[in-house]
Amino acid sequence: MNPYESIAAASPEEARAALQVRRRRIFYRLVGIFTVLLVLCVTVGFFYGRHWTRQALHDALPQLDGSISVSGLSAPVTVQRDAHGVPHLRASSLDDLVMAQGYVTAQDRLWQMDALRRHAAGNLAEILGASLIPHDRAQRTLQIRAAADRALATLPPDQLHLLERYAAGVNASIATQSAHLPLEFRLLRYEPAPWTPRDSLLIGLVMFQDLTNSFPTQLNREALTALLPSHLVGDLYPVDSWRDHPPAQPTVDLTAPQQDIPDVPLDESQTKLRKPSLPTANLDDLLALQETLKNPVCEGCFAGSNDWVISGAHTVTGKPLLSNDMHLAHNVPGIWYQADLEAPTASGELHVAGVSLPGVPFIIVGHNAHVAWGFTNLGAEVQDVYIEHTRGSGDTMEYQSSDNTWHPVIHQREVIRVKGAKDVLLDVPATQHGGVTTPIVSGMFPSEKRSLSLRWTIYDPQNITPSFYAINTATDGASLVSAFSTFGGPAQNVVYADDQGHIGYHAVGKIPIRGNIATPSPISPVPSDALDATQEWVGTIPYDQLPRASDPPNGILATANSRVTADDYPYPITLNWAAPYRNERIWKVLTARAIETKDKLTADDMLALQTDVYSDVDHVIAQRLAYAIDHTTKPEFTTDKVAAKRLRQAADLLRDWNGNVDADAAAPAIVVATRATLWPLLLDPQLKSQPEMKSDLQPGAHRTGAALYTWGNKAYAEEWLIMHTPSRWLPPAYPTWDDLLTAAVSKALTDDHAPIDLAKWRYGQFRPSDIEHPIYSQSPLLQRVLGVPTSPGLQPQSGDDVTVKQVGRNFGPSERFTADLSDLDHSTLNLVLGESSNPLSAWFMDQWPAWYHGTTFPLPFSRSAVDAATTHTLTLTP
């Protein structure tokens, strides 16, 4: 009898029950079969996806040996790759060399180049979707692309020609790669547009923006000034300090202990720190813009660098040593691309090696056969925000000029393409100042009622100078300085050394003079009235009057973004210098070794200083915090046995600490966490007491006010407050500063989840490095499918925002370079990750261990050294 016959013979109730059992069994079998099929499909899909992505990565690897025909070359170009994939290009003409540089750079960095030009132009939403609309809207409002177009229209023919040759090389590389584009293009399902000279200008403007975009700080300062009692504001914005050491200043004794930290010095601009008569930008808007622009990239970080040069009198070889490490945001791949370029020119020969900016021809930092140079960001104030007087709206809107006449507002129409969504239409109104278009940026702040325009040196096309040819072909220090005389920006500190033994420093870039050429006006720290003649730009600081020095008697020059002007310098450059601690430490170490102990220094000594993690200010603050804990009288810190024991352990760790911000130490974690916690404890009580703050923000949102305090010299203001303990800053809840500082330590330990046994806390795990790929890191599944490392990931690291090795979570030295003028083959250079952007390449992250552990590599330069280091040779043929 089959099952259905037995069911038929049973009672109706039994039959129904048996049928339900039978159906359940069938259902479970089907579910099981479906589950097996699903698992099988997922497994097959996973391995197919891995095979496909691996194959795509493999196919995208560039050809390294043999020959490739490249239309447009006039003669063969040799590309020799060394053990780290660094291309050494030898061409028979400058045109061929520049074209070959574009070709080879695109072999390794094509998607990065495309992403950079899209970032500058505000075209990222077109490939990444609606989440990038705020970014693109900001870039379009700032008119980066329009600035590039204006500059392109006025470029000298020789510079335009070089950009065209570079673009021809990039486009030839795109054609070669068309059948196997880098994986990012294939995942995002688009193809790169042809490269143009404008794209090279856009990428140069990316660096300009990263290093000079200070207008959010002006608006933040304005908002914070409006909310704080006026007698407190000056303490927050110091313009210099007793720790400063401008490079041209006579030698000072930086080793002597400082018993008393002088008062925070003010400048004339502090008289402008009044409560604004007009409403300020909404705090939420300011913080949203700060996030969109990623400014600052990390708390306390200053997009800048270290550089120094010492004369042959202090070196083992008798010739100068020059070192430079530029501090920027970390990405995968890194911002720099190493190269060695060689070709005859009409006036001699170009042979230069160092780091280039992908998408831009020539070498940005490095050396040629005669001279070496390095950069740090000067931090010059090249942006001003004006409060415009307007009337009307839309197409009838007008603005008032300084001669009291009214002019139609200029309208720039922008269309933002959005992947998977409708286009976004944007109208960017603009005024003019000094004949230069200044966009109205109020649209970046939805609640802003004023018309705020932005003046920026990039809006004058004469300030965009894309060619480093004259710099790369300088024959000595003097000709290098001359070559930089036409450099428009971003304004930089340049140190240099040549093979004749000369060393020097010169500030470079176009820096506005405001008000009057003969007696310049102070820089306004907040937006100024558009009709205020004292804030109109009337010229730029003459090149030969910028800060400079050559062959100083002490044989040492150094900069690290802090103040470079002497007290009597006549031209205001900026109010917002970086904190002085890195620069001070560099000077102390070099003068102690070279002058006091008469040591003869080597390239190894330079690397040791580049990776130095001693922090004098953290050390000083640690001692002060230990003292505070010892002397607190607050009951919650003395009667609670558990809390008291933990604080006593913290005090012991702090007082015994040597000041080195080591990854495996506990004390620096306590100090850095406490420093961050202290600011809300100081600012929040003041902000809570202001009526404007209460009405402006939702409950609890007052904490965001502290986030508006973005100042380069913030760490020095912090040190001054901690060491001076002014009563005007003491919150009512704390009887003494010892109690306040102890509370900051206690809160930091709690908020940052410090272990019960503080000796087990590790600074490196508390403040790790986290470098991620912009596409691969967005999907854990994609990373698993790829099955190869796409970034270093979270790694413990030493150093903080005030150590010579200045680091943040995704910020730090973007390269480390030392030029040895006695033998250029002994020069060293390493990147953070590597030359390639392809995770399957041997050169994707091969330089990371050296960067992470503080070692480096030689940069071969002579023909014999390059030939000896060559691992692959490719010939580009016409």
Side-chain angles (χ1 to χ4, degrees):
M1 184 181 295
N2 64 47
Y4 293 98
E5 291 175 339
S6 64
I7 292 173
S11 66
E13 293 78 7
E14 291 174 336
R16 283 194 294 271
L19 187 58
Q20 289 176 354
V21 169
R22 179 63 179 171
R23 287 174 176 172
R24 280 197 297 269
R25 288 175 180 171
I26 293 172
F27 174 77
Y28 291 143
R29 286 174 184 171
L30 290 175
V31 169
I33 292 170
F34 177 78
T35 301
V36 170
L37 290 174
L38 179 61
V39 170
L40 183 61
C41 289
V42 170
T43 302
V44 171
F46 176 84
F47 283 104
Y48 174 78
R50 172 166 292 186
H51 171 76
W52 183 85
T53 54
R54 289 287 191 91
Q55 191 63 46
L57 289 172
H58 181 272
D59 291 345
L61 291 170
Q63 181 178 336
L64 303 175
D65 295 289
S67 64
I68 300 176
S69 178
V70 178
S71 177
L73 291 176
S74 64
V77 177
T78 302
V79 183
Q80 295 172 265
R81 300 260 193 173
D82 63 25
H84 296 288
V86 177
H88 301 260
L89 280 65
R90 295 178 185 169
S92 58
S93 70
L94 179 62
D95 277 8
D96 284 350
L97 179 68
V98 172
M99 184 176 180
Q101 185 186 9
Y103 185 95
V104 172
T105 305
Q107 277 190 310
D108 289 324
R109 300 288 189 92
L110 180 58
W111 189 79
Q112 179 191 31
M113 293 163 64
D114 186 70
L116 284 172
R117 64 175 168 176
R118 286 179 174 277
H119 160 55
N123 287 332
L124 285 176
E126 185 176 14
I127 61 170
L128 297 176
S131 64
L132 271 296
I133 291 175
H135 166 276
D136 286 0
R137 184 182 287 116
Q139 295 299 89
R140 300 296 184 93
T141 301
L142 293 175
Q143 293 288 279
I144 308 292
R145 184 170 60 178
D149 287 336
R150 286 194 293 268
L152 185 66
T154 61
L155 272 186
D158 59 333
Q159 293 192 26
L160 178 60
H161 174 72
L162 291 171
L163 293 184
E164 290 172 339
R165 293 300 295 167
Y166 188 89
V170 175
N171 288 327
S173 190
I174 291 174
T176 302
Q177 299 179 60
S178 61
H180 45 80
L181 287 168
L183 181 59
E184 294 94 336
F185 289 106
R186 303 180 71 174
L187 291 173
L188 297 173
R189 301 176 65 185
Y190 81 102
E191 296 181 357
W195 199 262
T196 67
R198 181 182 76 172
D199 296 326
S200 292
L201 296 181
L202 282 171
I203 289 181
L205 287 172
V206 167
M207 190 61 67
F208 216 125
Q209 182 179 14
D210 286 349
L211 298 180
T212 68
N213 206 39
S214 62
F215 82 93
T217 298
Q218 294 182 29
L219 294 169
N220 289 351
R221 182 168 176 170
E222 179 191 42
L224 206 55
T225 297
L227 296 167
L228 284 174
S230 57
H231 68 284
L232 299 180
V233 173
D235 297 335
L236 297 178
Y237 297 101
V239 296
D240 55 11
S241 78
W242 65 269
R243 293 179 180 270
D244 290 335
H245 192 304
Q249 180 177 319
T251 303
V252 295
D253 184 6
L254 291 171
T255 63
Q258 185 77 18
Q259 299 301 323
D260 179 52
I261 299 177
D263 287 343
V264 173
L266 302 181
D267 72 296
E268 296 175 59
S269 70
Q270 303 292 356
T271 61
K272 294 180 177 286
L273 297 180
R274 59 189 181 274
K275 289 189 181 294
S277 57
L278 292 171
T280 64
N282 178 276
L283 300 183
D284 291 335
D285 291 345
L286 293 172
L287 293 171
L289 177 65
Q290 191 165 289
E291 175 62 24
T292 298
L293 298 177
K294 304 298 182 186
N295 185 24
V297 292
C298 63
E299 176 67 19
C301 294
F302 191 98
S305 316
N306 305 313
D307 65 9
W308 61 83
V309 60
I310 57 176
S311 72
H314 303 309
T315 68
V316 168
T317 65
K319 290 287 188 177
L321 287 170
L322 179 147
S323 289
N324 184 206
D325 53 292
M326 295 179 280
H327 302 170
L328 298 167
H330 289 321
N331 289 291
V332 180
I335 188 62
W336 302 115
Y337 182 77
Q338 289 177 247
D340 173 15
L341 312 176
E342 184 176 1
T345 68
S347 57
E349 182 182 58
L350 167 69
H351 187 192
V352 61
V355 295
S356 66
L357 186 59
V360 178
F362 301 115
I363 296 298
I364 305 300
V365 161
H367 68 80
N368 61 26
H370 303 289
V371 62
W373 68 97
F375 286 142
T376 69
N377 190 22
L378 179 59
E381 188 57 73
V382 296
Q383 289 184 328
D384 280 345
V385 178
Y386 297 140
I387 304 169
E388 298 284 357
H389 295 251
T390 60
R391 65 185 183 188
S393 62
D395 292 338
T396 64
M397 187 177 182
E398 295 180 308
Y399 72 96
Q400 188 177 16
S401 61
S402 56
D403 61 358
N404 294 322
T405 59
W406 291 88
H407 307 272
V409 164
I410 303 164
H411 291 272
Q412 175 70 36
R413 311 294 181 183
E414 299 280 348
V415 179
I416 301 174
R417 310 290 182 193
V418 184
K419 183 177 182 179
K422 292 182 179 180
D423 295 346
V424 174
L425 304 181
L426 186 65
D427 173 35
V428 182
T431 64
Q432 284 202 330
H433 287 266
V436 176
T437 301
T438 52
I440 292 177
V441 298
S442 304
M444 301 171 79
F445 312 99
S447 60
E448 177 61 67
K449 305 302 182 185
R450 302 169 297 176
S451 292
L452 302 177
S453 68
L454 177 67
R455 188 158 191 187
W456 193 359
T457 51
I458 71 165
Y459 299 144
D460 183 346
Q462 301 304 312
N463 294 332
I464 301 177
T465 49
S467 178
F468 268 61
Y469 172 71
I471 295 160
N472 285 190
T473 54
T475 56
D476 55 20
S479 60
L480 182 84
V481 169
S482 177
F484 272 113
S485 63
T486 58
F487 180 72
Q492 299 289 293
N493 298 301
V494 177
V495 298
Y496 61 87
D498 64 27
D499 57 357
Q500 300 174 33
H502 299 296
I503 67 172
Y505 156 78
H506 208 295
V508 301
K510 304 300 184 183
I511 303 171
I513 296 174
R514 297 161 177 85
N516 187 286
I517 291 286
T519 56
S521 300
I523 298 169
S524 174
V526 296
S528 58
D529 191 303
L531 304 183
D532 181 357
T534 68
Q535 291 304 304
E536 277 290 350
W537 296 5
V538 293
T540 59
I541 300 175
Y543 184 66
D544 61 358
Q545 295 182 46
L546 288 169
R548 66 193 190 280
S550 60
D551 294 326
N554 66 354
I556 299 172
L557 289 166
T559 71
N561 314 122
S562 56
R563 186 168 66 98
V564 299
T565 56
D567 292 339
D568 60 352
Y569 186 70
Y571 298 102
I573 288 180
T574 185
L575 304 177
N576 193 11
W577 304 104
Y581 305 107
R582 287 183 289 119
N583 188 58
E584 179 191 43
R585 175 67 174 168
I586 292 166
W587 281 97
K588 278 187 174 182
V589 170
L590 292 178
T591 55
R593 291 286 306 278
I595 296 175
E596 294 169 19
T597 63
K598 308 295 184 183
D599 289 347
K600 297 297 183 180
L601 302 177
T602 67
D604 288 342
D605 296 319
M606 304 298 98
L607 181 62
L609 184 51
Q610 286 179 325
T611 56
D612 182 271
V613 293
Y614 175 78
S615 171
D616 190 54
V617 65
D618 285 320
H619 198 194
V620 166
I621 291 175
Q623 302 304 308
R624 180 66 184 88
L625 295 177
Y627 178 91
I629 294 170
D630 291 342
H631 292 81
T632 184
T633 58
K634 285 280 262 183
E636 58 264 39
F637 303 135
T638 57
T639 59
D640 184 328
K641 292 183 178 179
V642 175
K645 181 179 178 181
R646 200 174 194 217
L647 285 169
R648 283 196 301 271
Q649 185 185 23
D652 290 340
L653 290 167
L654 291 170
R655 82 174 95 254
D656 294 338
W657 180 45
N658 62 7
N660 288 324
V661 186
D662 294 321
D664 59 355
I670 300 171
V671 176
V672 171
T674 302
R675 284 175 53 200
T677 301
L678 181 62
W679 280 113
L681 292 179
L682 287 170
L683 286 170
D684 284 357
Q686 302 294 342
L687 298 176
K688 281 182 181 179
S689 65
Q690 300 305 308
E692 298 96 329
M693 201 68 165
K694 289 179 179 178
S695 60
D696 234 9
L697 300 176
Q698 297 299 318
H702 65 270
R703 292 189 300 275
T704 61
L708 294 181
Y709 180 35
T710 52
W711 194 245
N713 223 348
K714 178 178 180 178
Y716 179 71
E718 179 181 331
E719 180 192 13
W720 185 89
L721 289 172
I722 290 173
M723 302 311 291
H724 275 74
T725 62
S727 59
R728 60 183 176 273
W729 274 99
L730 190 63
Y734 302 99
T736 69
W737 267 82
D738 291 334
D739 298 326
L740 171 63
L741 295 175
T742 302
V745 175
S746 179
K747 189 173 189 306
L749 298 180
T750 300
D751 291 353
D752 291 298
H753 310 290
I756 297 300
D757 182 358
L758 293 177
K760 295 180 179 179
W761 207 10
R762 297 291 176 263
Y763 173 79
Q765 295 174 343
F766 171 60
R767 286 287 187 266
S769 166
D770 185 16
I771 307 175
E772 301 289 352
H773 190 282
I775 301 301
Y776 304 148
S777 65
Q778 300 304 308
S779 169
L781 176 60
L782 177 58
Q783 293 185 63
R784 292 182 66 86
V785 168
L786 287 170
V788 293
T790 59
S791 72
L794 282 173
Q795 297 290 339
Q797 68 174 341
S798 57
D800 67 4
D801 60 301
V802 291
T803 54
V804 175
K805 179 190 171 187
Q806 184 194 25
V807 294
R809 188 179 181 91
N810 57 1
F811 177 89
S814 57
E815 47 72 55
R816 294 191 183 105
F817 167 58
T818 292
D820 185 343
L821 275 296
S822 71
D823 184 347
L824 292 171
D825 286 332
H826 291 162
S827 300
T828 60
L829 175 61
N830 73 281
L831 306 179
V832 182
L833 300 176
E835 288 283 81
S836 176
S837 61
N838 190 322
L840 282 191
S841 171
W843 305 319
F844 177 60
M845 288 198 302
D846 61 311
Q847 298 192 44
W848 165 256
W851 185 92
Y852 184 67
H853 295 291
T855 61
T856 190
F857 310 108
L859 178 63
F861 185 70
S862 68
R863 288 212 170 188
S864 59
V866 170
D867 290 344
T870 296
T871 60
H872 298 274
T873 302
L874 176 69
T875 303
L876 306 180
T877 61

